[in-house]
Amino acid sequence: AQTVTQSQPEMSVQEAETVTLSCTYDTSESDYYLFWYKQPPSRQMILVIRQEAYKQQNATENRFSVNFQKAAKSFSLKISDSQLGDAAMYFCAYRSAAGKSTFGDGTTLTVKP
Amino acid sequence: DGGITQSPKYLFRKEGQNVTLSCEQNLNHDAMYWYRQDPGQGLRLIYYSQIVNDFQKGDIAEGYSVSREKKESFPLTVTSAQKNPTAFYLCASTPFIGGFADTQYFGPGTRLTVL
């Protein structure tokens, strides 16, 4: 079975600074997909960024980028120029090619003004 | 607007009662999912469905049941066999493209409390 580990239950960052959230996963599959989701206090899950395992190039979406290390099974999220609206719980998720998803326990990000 | 709706937002149930949570999508997505979220934890997969009249168990299916009679609807029943049903429940959907590669769209969730 796949597992996803987020080793940082809480993180804080100063507004306009950069923060990196960690995620590691365990799988024996070669074809899979990785995601970062944001869950603000409203509890609505919002996709931040996605990465296909077969792509070597790291995904980027505006201020959000990932560092995908397939051999190390690591998938960290970097948030640049942090904004107050970035404060939320962030979840790393693994999805197998067959469609089954596994989520980490989340990292609560606080942004200090 | 296209999206996923879940109702009700808050649901209270007495012990021993079955309760059904609604999930409807108008995105024309083939695949639908149900997740459970407990405080301080991530999402755990209960059931998922790739096509109408077909569904598979996730990691924590015991005490839950689903049906998929229509493409747009995927109701979840929490039965009395579920020992600790108080949780936040999220429904999601994806277009069926290859191996579930596409993004999951989530509903707003239902908070179930057992009294």
Side-chain angles (χ1 to χ4, degrees):
Chain A
Q2 292 80 26
T3 59
V4 176
T5 302
Q6 294 180 246
S7 59
Q8 308 152 315
E10 298 179 351
M11 291 283 285
S12 67
V13 62
Q14 205 71 32
E15 195 175 5
E17 297 295 310
T18 296
V19 65
T20 298
L21 308 184
S22 301
C23 173
T24 58
Y25 58 94
D26 187 25
T27 184
S28 58
E29 299 176 333
S30 59
D31 188 18
Y32 52 87
Y33 310 92
L34 297 167
F35 303 81
W36 277 99
Y37 286 92
K38 169 184 177 181
Q39 189 179 44
S42 68
R43 306 199 77 171
Q44 176 71 52
M45 294 288 284
I46 302 166
L47 176 70
V48 175
I49 199 164
R50 56 175 283 179
Q51 174 83 42
E52 290 87 345
Y54 62 85
K55 290 186 177 179
Q56 292 185 340
Q57 186 174 3
N58 290 324
T60 299
E61 288 288 342
N62 301 313
R63 299 183 293 108
F64 300 87
S65 61
V66 298
N67 183 5
F68 174 48
Q69 301 291 327
K70 191 172 184 179
K73 297 179 182 175
S74 172
F75 183 60
S76 62
L77 174 69
K78 185 172 81 171
I79 305 174
S80 304
D81 186 25
S82 296
Q83 300 176 1
L84 295 177
D86 294 334
M89 180 164 270
Y90 286 80
F91 291 98
C92 177
Y94 170 103
R95 186 183 312 154
S96 70
K100 190 176 178 182
S101 293
T102 303
F103 285 74
D105 284 341
T107 297
T108 299
L109 178 66
T110 301
V111 181
K112 299 178 180 178
Chain B
D1 287 338
I4 301 176
T5 57
Q6 290 185 244
S7 62
K9 187 173 182 178
Y10 299 98
L11 188 57
F12 298 89
R13 172 197 120 172
K14 293 182 179 179
E15 278 194 48
Q17 289 182 336
N18 292 355
V19 62
T20 297
L21 282 59
S22 170
C23 177
E24 304 276 335
Q25 54 97 359
N26 60 3
L27 300 167
N28 199 33
H29 286 177
D30 285 328
M32 297 185 74
Y33 308 76
W34 273 106
Y35 294 93
R36 169 179 172 143
Q37 186 178 25
D38 292 287
Q41 296 187 29
L43 279 63
R44 291 184 289 168
L45 184 62
I46 304 173
Y47 270 98
Y48 63 107
S49 168
Q50 301 182 38
I51 56 173
V52 173
N53 293 322
D54 185 54
F55 45 83
Q56 290 78 40
K57 292 182 178 180
D59 298 319
I60 56 166
E62 185 174 352
Y64 299 97
S65 66
V66 294
S67 64
R68 189 86 187 276
E69 297 178 0
K70 298 185 296 182
K71 185 176 182 177
E72 59 270 22
S73 178
F74 191 41
L76 173 74
T77 297
V78 184
T79 75
S80 56
Q82 170 49 237
K83 299 304 179 187
N84 185 22
T86 294
F88 186 65
Y89 291 87
L90 282 162
C91 179
S93 70
T94 58
F96 183 72
I97 300 177
F100 284 74
D102 216 329
T103 302
Q104 284 188 324
Y105 292 80
F106 284 86
T110 292
R111 173 70 183 175
L112 173 64
T113 302
V114 175
L115 304 173

